[in-house]
Amino acid sequence: MNKIYETSPNGYMYLDSDWNNKFREETLRLLKEKNIIEKDINNLENIHQFVIDKSLRDYDFNSGVNGITRALYDIDDKFLKLYKNFLKDLYNKLGYDFYFQECPTIRVHCPDAINQHHYPRYHSDCFYGHPPQEINVWFSLTNNLHSGFYFMGYPASKKWLDEVNNNEELFIEKAINDKDFNKKADDLCIEVEANTNKIFLFDSLCIHTNQPRTGDSRISIDIRINPVENFVDGYIGKGRMKAEFKPGGKFGYYEKSIKEIL
């Protein structure tokens, strides 16, 4: 059983956090050092107005990733130090050891971007090969009125998947091509809080999506962790990277658990 169910049978929970703004400052530093935004900009909520190469805002339709996000796949030692300190604090809050994503994913979403109609694209991480034992840690670095991150708890996710006889490939096809299919989410979803004082943890079986931005930009971080006591080897990502979800695996988890690096 996923550890998150010990505190929430719906498969998600919020934790108070004082880390969001620290990551905001470090992300701002990276964006300036990589010459993605103008040097005197501090307003990440309107980053779309200050990107030097405007084409970086646009999405690849298949992956839903834009050029700014891709540029932030490469982070430096200073950012990684903050990341590991955050994980040590998370370990103290959760009270159990876990393996963790080697590098966090910093996601940038801007309004009026080419191929923003990639979204919504409802899915669970398990559809793409992630282990069901995994927990997704998500938090916002921007102060938005709306997060645009739509999510449904495990019971609702299971109910929706049951409608396609648990056929994940069919679900993905419908989520991409069938607008009426996606409308079901209106009654099943919640919008995750756009709060820079909280982090949101959820089970990898829970269905979720981003929505297109409609006025401001949002920057968020997501991290996958996997409780050591529940770990099962053998899961491989279905994307082109073929990530190996194991300690030291290619594009997978860091080689040691968080307890081992305290």
Side-chain angles (χ1 to χ4, degrees):
M1 178 178 289
N2 189 313
K3 292 288 291 187
I4 205 165
Y5 288 114
E6 293 182 4
T7 54
S8 173
N10 286 322
Y12 67 93
M13 65 180 183
Y14 289 97
L15 290 177
D16 292 333
S17 170
D18 57 3
W19 291 91
N20 305 46
N21 286 320
K22 297 175 185 177
F23 278 104
R24 178 188 173 104
E25 292 303 312
E26 281 300 291
T27 300
L28 188 61
R29 175 184 64 82
L30 287 178
L31 289 167
K32 291 178 178 180
E33 290 180 0
K34 291 174 180 289
N35 294 315
I36 294 172
I37 61 172
E38 300 169 19
K39 300 294 184 183
D40 59 344
I41 299 304
N42 294 306
N43 183 352
L44 292 184
E45 290 76 15
N46 290 307
I47 188 177
H48 53 284
Q49 298 176 3
F50 307 110
V51 176
I52 295 170
D53 180 354
K54 303 301 184 186
S55 69
L56 292 177
R57 302 176 303 179
D58 299 331
Y59 296 100
D60 170 77
F61 180 75
N62 291 323
S63 67
V65 174
N66 63 22
I68 308 173
T69 297
R70 282 195 298 272
L72 293 172
Y73 288 164
D74 181 23
I75 58 178
D76 58 17
D77 289 343
K78 186 177 179 184
F79 198 101
L80 282 171
K81 181 178 179 180
L82 174 67
Y83 174 53
K84 288 181 180 178
N85 286 335
F86 163 77
L87 292 172
K88 291 173 184 177
D89 182 60
L90 184 62
Y91 164 75
N92 290 328
K93 284 185 170 70
L94 294 176
Y96 54 83
D97 193 15
F98 53 81
Y99 299 114
F100 58 91
Q101 187 175 324
E102 186 166 9
C103 294
T105 304
I106 309 167
R107 298 191 190 274
V108 180
H109 292 289
C110 298
D112 303 320
I114 292 173
N115 287 330
Q116 69 178 16
H117 64 290
H118 168 96
Y119 297 104
R121 189 171 292 195
Y122 287 96
H123 67 282
S124 82
D125 291 351
C126 288
F127 291 1
Y128 296 106
H130 287 259
Q133 298 82 15
E134 202 173 65
I135 295 169
N136 198 321
V137 182
W138 183 95
F139 53 97
S140 179
L141 310 186
T142 44
N143 292 297
N144 306 107
L145 181 60
H146 297 288
S147 72
F149 180 27
Y150 281 50
F151 168 88
M152 61 184 69
Y154 176 67
S157 297
K158 184 178 184 304
K159 178 181 177 182
W160 199 9
L161 187 56
D162 285 345
E163 292 185 19
V164 292
N165 297 315
N166 295 297
N167 185 327
E168 296 174 358
E169 297 299 328
L170 177 59
F171 187 102
I172 292 169
E173 179 187 340
K174 285 181 170 292
I176 294 172
N177 299 312
D178 188 338
K179 291 183 179 180
D180 289 334
F181 181 76
N182 283 334
K183 286 179 181 178
K184 293 180 182 293
D186 293 342
D187 296 325
L188 297 172
C189 278
I190 62 170
E191 185 175 18
V192 176
E193 292 180 23
N195 192 321
T196 54
N197 295 311
K198 292 185 182 296
I199 60 175
F200 182 68
L201 294 84
F202 63 95
D203 185 284
S204 59
L205 288 161
C206 293
I207 292 171
H208 56 280
T209 188
N210 186 58
Q211 296 282 358
R213 300 307 301 173
T214 58
D216 61 357
S217 295
R218 192 201 76 209
I219 301 180
S220 62
I221 288 182
D222 57 77
I223 303 156
R224 274 75 172 191
I225 65 173
N226 197 323
V228 170
E229 66 181 289
N230 293 348
F231 176 73
V232 177
D233 197 0
Y235 287 92
I236 305 293
K238 295 181 180 178
R240 63 183 179 85
M241 308 298 284
K242 301 298 181 187
E244 300 171 344
F245 300 111
K246 64 181 181 179
K250 180 181 66 174
F251 305 117
Y253 304 144
Y254 187 68
E255 61 187 0
K256 296 180 180 180
S257 73
I258 190 61
K259 188 176 181 180
E260 289 177 308
I261 65 171
L262 288 175

Short mmCIF file of all heavy atoms in Angstrom, two decimals, residues 131-155:
data_model
loop_
_atom_site.label_atom_id
_atom_site.label_comp_id
_atom_site.label_asym_id
_atom_site.label_seq_id
_atom_site.Cartn_x
_atom_site.Cartn_y
_atom_site.Cartn_z
N PRO A 131 5.86 3.71 -11.04
CA PRO A 131 5.39 2.70 -10.08
C PRO A 131 4.17 3.18 -9.30
O PRO A 131 4.07 4.36 -8.94
CB PRO A 131 6.59 2.54 -9.12
CG PRO A 131 7.74 3.20 -9.78
CD PRO A 131 7.19 4.23 -10.69
N PRO A 132 3.23 2.29 -8.99
CA PRO A 132 2.08 2.67 -8.18
C PRO A 132 2.45 3.01 -6.75
O PRO A 132 1.66 3.63 -6.04
CB PRO A 132 1.17 1.44 -8.25
CG PRO A 132 2.07 0.31 -8.60
CD PRO A 132 3.15 0.89 -9.47
N GLN A 133 3.64 2.63 -6.31
CA GLN A 133 4.10 2.96 -4.96
C GLN A 133 4.59 4.42 -4.86
O GLN A 133 4.80 4.94 -3.77
CB GLN A 133 5.25 2.03 -4.52
CG GLN A 133 4.87 0.57 -4.44
CD GLN A 133 4.93 -0.11 -5.79
OE1 GLN A 133 5.51 0.41 -6.75
NE2 GLN A 133 4.32 -1.29 -5.89
N GLU A 134 4.77 5.05 -6.00
CA GLU A 134 5.38 6.37 -6.06
C GLU A 134 4.42 7.46 -5.57
O GLU A 134 3.20 7.35 -5.71
CB GLU A 134 5.79 6.66 -7.50
CG GLU A 134 6.86 7.71 -7.66
CD GLU A 134 7.32 7.79 -9.11
OE1 GLU A 134 6.50 8.16 -9.98
OE2 GLU A 134 8.49 7.47 -9.38
N ILE A 135 4.98 8.52 -5.02
CA ILE A 135 4.23 9.70 -4.58
C ILE A 135 4.77 10.91 -5.32
O ILE A 135 5.99 11.08 -5.44
CB ILE A 135 4.35 9.90 -3.06
CG1 ILE A 135 3.70 8.72 -2.32
CG2 ILE A 135 3.71 11.22 -2.63
CD1 ILE A 135 4.00 8.70 -0.83
N ASN A 136 3.87 11.73 -5.84
CA ASN A 136 4.24 12.95 -6.55
C ASN A 136 4.14 14.12 -5.57
O ASN A 136 3.12 14.30 -4.90
CB ASN A 136 3.30 13.17 -7.74
CG ASN A 136 3.85 14.14 -8.75
OD1 ASN A 136 4.45 15.14 -8.40
ND2 ASN A 136 3.63 13.85 -10.03
N VAL A 137 5.21 14.89 -5.48
CA VAL A 137 5.26 16.08 -4.63
C VAL A 137 5.23 17.30 -5.55
O VAL A 137 6.13 17.48 -6.38
CB VAL A 137 6.54 16.10 -3.77
CG1 VAL A 137 6.57 17.32 -2.86
CG2 VAL A 137 6.68 14.81 -2.96
N TRP A 138 4.19 18.12 -5.43
CA TRP A 138 3.99 19.26 -6.34
C TRP A 138 3.85 20.53 -5.53
O TRP A 138 3.16 20.55 -4.51
CB TRP A 138 2.73 19.03 -7.18
CG TRP A 138 2.45 20.09 -8.20
CD1 TRP A 138 2.81 20.08 -9.51
CD2 TRP A 138 1.74 21.33 -8.01
NE1 TRP A 138 2.38 21.23 -10.14
CE2 TRP A 138 1.73 22.02 -9.24
CE3 TRP A 138 1.14 21.94 -6.90
CZ2 TRP A 138 1.11 23.27 -9.40
CZ3 TRP A 138 0.54 23.19 -7.06
CH2 TRP A 138 0.52 23.83 -8.31
N PHE A 139 4.48 21.62 -5.99
CA PHE A 139 4.26 22.92 -5.33
C PHE A 139 4.53 24.06 -6.29
O PHE A 139 5.32 23.95 -7.23
CB PHE A 139 5.07 23.07 -4.05
CG PHE A 139 6.55 22.82 -4.16
CD1 PHE A 139 7.44 23.86 -4.31
CD2 PHE A 139 7.06 21.53 -4.08
CE1 PHE A 139 8.80 23.64 -4.38
CE2 PHE A 139 8.42 21.29 -4.14
CZ PHE A 139 9.30 22.36 -4.30
N SER A 140 3.83 25.16 -6.05
CA SER A 140 3.91 26.33 -6.91
C SER A 140 4.97 27.30 -6.42
O SER A 140 5.16 27.48 -5.20
CB SER A 140 2.54 27.04 -6.96
OG SER A 140 2.62 28.19 -7.78
N LEU A 141 5.63 27.97 -7.37
CA LEU A 141 6.59 29.02 -7.05
C LEU A 141 6.04 30.40 -7.37
O LEU A 141 6.72 31.40 -7.13
CB LEU A 141 7.89 28.81 -7.85
CG LEU A 141 8.53 27.41 -7.82
CD1 LEU A 141 9.87 27.44 -8.53
CD2 LEU A 141 8.70 26.92 -6.39
N THR A 142 4.83 30.45 -7.89
CA THR A 142 4.23 31.72 -8.27
C THR A 142 2.92 31.92 -7.53
O THR A 142 2.23 30.97 -7.18
CB THR A 142 3.98 31.77 -9.79
OG1 THR A 142 3.41 30.52 -10.24
CG2 THR A 142 5.27 32.02 -10.55
N ASN A 143 2.58 33.19 -7.32
CA ASN A 143 1.34 33.54 -6.63
C ASN A 143 0.26 33.79 -7.67
O ASN A 143 0.11 34.91 -8.19
CB ASN A 143 1.55 34.80 -5.77
CG ASN A 143 2.47 34.52 -4.60
OD1 ASN A 143 2.17 33.72 -3.72
ND2 ASN A 143 3.62 35.19 -4.58
N ASN A 144 -0.46 32.74 -7.99
CA ASN A 144 -1.52 32.81 -9.00
C ASN A 144 -2.89 32.73 -8.34
O ASN A 144 -3.05 32.05 -7.33
CB ASN A 144 -1.39 31.66 -10.00
CG ASN A 144 -0.02 31.57 -10.63
OD1 ASN A 144 0.77 30.69 -10.31
ND2 ASN A 144 0.29 32.48 -11.53
N LEU A 145 -3.85 33.41 -8.94
CA LEU A 145 -5.22 33.28 -8.44
C LEU A 145 -5.71 31.86 -8.65
O LEU A 145 -6.38 31.28 -7.80
CB LEU A 145 -6.13 34.28 -9.15
CG LEU A 145 -7.60 34.30 -8.71
CD1 LEU A 145 -7.70 34.64 -7.22
CD2 LEU A 145 -8.40 35.28 -9.56
N HIS A 146 -5.34 31.27 -9.78
CA HIS A 146 -5.71 29.89 -10.10
C HIS A 146 -4.46 29.11 -10.46
O HIS A 146 -3.64 29.58 -11.25
CB HIS A 146 -6.71 29.84 -11.25
CG HIS A 146 -8.01 30.52 -10.96
ND1 HIS A 146 -8.95 29.99 -10.10
CD2 HIS A 146 -8.52 31.70 -11.40
CE1 HIS A 146 -9.98 30.80 -10.03
NE2 HIS A 146 -9.74 31.84 -10.79
N SER A 147 -4.35 27.90 -9.91
CA SER A 147 -3.18 27.07 -10.25
C SER A 147 -3.30 26.49 -11.65
O SER A 147 -2.29 26.28 -12.33
CB SER A 147 -3.02 25.94 -9.23
OG SER A 147 -4.04 24.95 -9.41
N GLY A 148 -4.52 26.19 -12.10
CA GLY A 148 -4.69 25.53 -13.38
C GLY A 148 -4.28 24.07 -13.35
O GLY A 148 -4.19 23.41 -14.38
N PHE A 149 -4.05 23.54 -12.14
CA PHE A 149 -3.66 22.14 -11.98
C PHE A 149 -4.89 21.39 -11.47
O PHE A 149 -5.30 21.56 -10.32
CB PHE A 149 -2.49 22.03 -11.00
CG PHE A 149 -1.99 20.62 -10.76
CD1 PHE A 149 -2.15 19.63 -11.70
CD2 PHE A 149 -1.36 20.29 -9.58
CE1 PHE A 149 -1.69 18.34 -11.49
CE2 PHE A 149 -0.89 19.01 -9.34
CZ PHE A 149 -1.05 18.04 -10.30
N TYR A 150 -5.49 20.57 -12.33
CA TYR A 150 -6.73 19.86 -12.02
C TYR A 150 -6.41 18.42 -11.64
O TYR A 150 -5.63 17.76 -12.30
CB TYR A 150 -7.68 19.92 -13.21
CG TYR A 150 -8.41 21.24 -13.32
CD1 TYR A 150 -7.73 22.45 -13.27
CD2 TYR A 150 -9.79 21.28 -13.45
CE1 TYR A 150 -8.40 23.65 -13.36
CE2 TYR A 150 -10.47 22.48 -13.55
CZ TYR A 150 -9.77 23.67 -13.50
OH TYR A 150 -10.43 24.85 -13.58
N PHE A 151 -7.08 17.95 -10.62
CA PHE A 151 -6.70 16.69 -9.98
C PHE A 151 -7.94 15.99 -9.46
O PHE A 151 -8.90 16.63 -9.00
CB PHE A 151 -5.75 17.01 -8.82
CG PHE A 151 -5.50 15.87 -7.89
CD1 PHE A 151 -4.48 14.97 -8.14
CD2 PHE A 151 -6.29 15.68 -6.76
CE1 PHE A 151 -4.25 13.90 -7.29
CE2 PHE A 151 -6.08 14.62 -5.91
CZ PHE A 151 -5.06 13.72 -6.17
N MET A 152 -7.93 14.65 -9.49
CA MET A 152 -8.99 13.89 -8.84
C MET A 152 -8.38 12.81 -7.95
O MET A 152 -7.35 12.22 -8.28
CB MET A 152 -9.95 13.28 -9.86
CG MET A 152 -9.35 12.30 -10.84
SD MET A 152 -10.57 11.74 -12.08
CE MET A 152 -10.81 13.24 -13.02
N GLY A 153 -9.01 12.61 -6.80
CA GLY A 153 -8.52 11.62 -5.85
C GLY A 153 -8.64 10.21 -6.39
O GLY A 153 -9.22 9.96 -7.46
N TYR A 154 -8.10 9.27 -5.64
CA TYR A 154 -8.01 7.90 -6.13
C TYR A 154 -9.38 7.27 -6.42
O TYR A 154 -9.56 6.65 -7.49
CB TYR A 154 -7.22 7.02 -5.17
CG TYR A 154 -7.20 5.58 -5.62
CD1 TYR A 154 -6.53 5.21 -6.78
CD2 TYR A 154 -7.89 4.60 -4.91
CE1 TYR A 154 -6.54 3.90 -7.22
CE2 TYR A 154 -7.90 3.28 -5.36
CZ TYR A 154 -7.22 2.94 -6.51
OH TYR A 154 -7.25 1.65 -6.94
N PRO A 155 -10.40 7.37 -5.54
CA PRO A 155 -11.69 6.75 -5.86
C PRO A 155 -12.28 7.25 -7.17
O PRO A 155 -12.79 6.46 -7.98
CB PRO A 155 -12.57 7.11 -4.66
CG PRO A 155 -11.59 7.30 -3.54
CD PRO A 155 -10.40 7.96 -4.17
#
